[in-house]
Amino acid sequence: MATANVKTKNLDELFKIYQTSIDALREVILSESSAKYLGDVWLLRFLAGTTPEKAIERVRKTLAWRKAHNVDQIAERIERENLQPSQFPYADQVFKYFPQTVLFSLTVQGEPFSVDHYGSLDVPGLLAAMTFEQYYEFNLYKSEFIRIVIDKLSV
């Protein structure tokens, strides 16, 4: 429990330090459809270790990538249908050739973690069972699912 309080305090301190820059980044994304999926914690990540100007450039590039890959539609579907990793497109094929005992979960202390068993990955089997595009789509869902969960935990 104490760990969560320390993290909240640190996050609050970071918001105080970067609030003006976060507000500037939010102005950049207001016209983008991604805006409803991307909160202050997400914006704060872009400010880490860089200037607000570079952060704005990074946000714009990320928004363009999200649009090109329909990531907002993926986020919307995950939230609307309350999708779990086993329900992602091509999950059966991926899990057959790339066993993942824990795709994403929380420790007893509430820390997020993900376990991928790369040593168990059957690359020839995976490539024979699906196309690269299908595997990429699965990973878009997986990445967006993790982003959604982490954002909810960060509030």
Side-chain angles (χ1 to χ4, degrees), residues 12-128:
D12 289 341
E13 289 173 6
L14 288 171
F15 281 136
K16 286 178 187 173
I17 294 167
Y18 290 104
Q19 193 60 56
T20 302
S21 297
I22 290 170
D23 292 342
L25 288 175
R26 192 179 302 103
E27 289 296 319
V28 171
I29 68 167
L30 279 177
S31 63
E32 300 290 330
S33 62
S34 295
K36 65 183 173 182
Y37 299 110
L38 309 174
D40 286 357
V41 173
W42 186 83
L43 293 172
L44 184 61
R45 291 180 188 125
F46 282 88
L47 290 164
T50 191
T51 65
E53 294 77 22
K54 286 195 183 257
I56 288 172
E57 179 184 334
R58 291 176 181 173
V59 167
R60 285 190 171 128
K61 286 180 180 180
T62 299
L63 293 175
W65 178 87
R66 288 178 66 86
K67 186 175 184 176
H69 293 89
N70 300 312
V71 178
D72 289 347
Q73 289 78 7
I74 290 171
E76 184 178 297
R77 181 171 179 223
I78 289 169
E79 290 186 331
R80 182 183 64 243
E81 298 178 25
N82 195 27
L83 289 182
Q84 296 303 305
S86 62
Q87 299 169 305
F88 296 166
Y90 314 109
D92 290 341
Q93 294 98 313
V94 171
F95 292 156
K96 180 177 180 181
Y97 297 101
F98 189 6
Q100 301 179 18
T101 54
V102 179
L103 181 65
F104 186 82
S105 192
L106 299 174
T107 66
V108 175
Q109 295 83 15
E111 301 286 336
F113 73 95
S114 180
V115 176
D116 293 320
H117 297 277
Y118 290 103
S120 301
L121 174 58
D122 176 1
V123 175
L126 185 67
L127 294 175

Side-chain angles (χ1 to χ4, degrees), residues 125-141:
L126 185 67
L127 294 175
M130 60 193 319
T131 66
F132 173 80
E133 290 77 14
Q134 291 169 326
Y135 185 64
Y136 186 76
E137 182 178 351
F138 171 83
N139 279 291
L140 286 175
Y141 273 81

